[in-house]
Amino acid sequence: MKNLFRTFVILFLAIASTSCSNNNDFRFDSESLKQTTWEGVNLVTDGDKILRTINIEMQFFDTQNGQYILREDGFGTEVYEFNYSIEGKIMNIEDGPLFSKRTILEFSKNKMVLEALNSYKSTLTLNRRY
């Protein structure tokens, strides 16, 4: 009976440790973003008031360059190429209207939330397409 219990505990720990390994392998860095496409929204807020809602599609071509498409009611569709870098929990987008240093609030294989604080708060929420 004692051996059966030990076997069950060892089997349970083995299954539990392997089921969590995929999330730990995906890190917030340029290599993880390379050749991925994301879509979502950028909310510009002042306190509780939403000032702008911008729909975004963002592609990371390599570890430094990408392209994003902005769609906003009343402004049409615009395409921008951008350079970016990541240092720790900060992504620096260097070009176009989204330029800023953004702090990562949430990051997983399929979702990221980045926030920039200027005169208003800009929260970029993206879901991975592929």
Side-chain angles (χ1 to χ4, degrees), residues 6 9-10 31 58 61 83 90 93 95 101 103 115 118 126:
R6 282 185 190 165
V9 170
I10 291 171
E31 195 61 37
M58 187 174 257
F61 298 134
N83 296 316
I90 303 293
I93 299 173
D95 307 292
K101 291 186 177 184
T103 303
E115 184 177 84
N118 296 307
L126 298 169

Side-chain angles (χ1 to χ4, degrees), residues 23-38:
N23 288 340
N24 295 336
D25 294 341
F26 203 78
R27 299 182 346 193
F28 181 62
D29 61 19
S30 300
E31 195 61 37
S32 292
L33 292 176
K34 182 173 74 172
Q35 298 181 4
T36 61
T37 300
W38 302 73

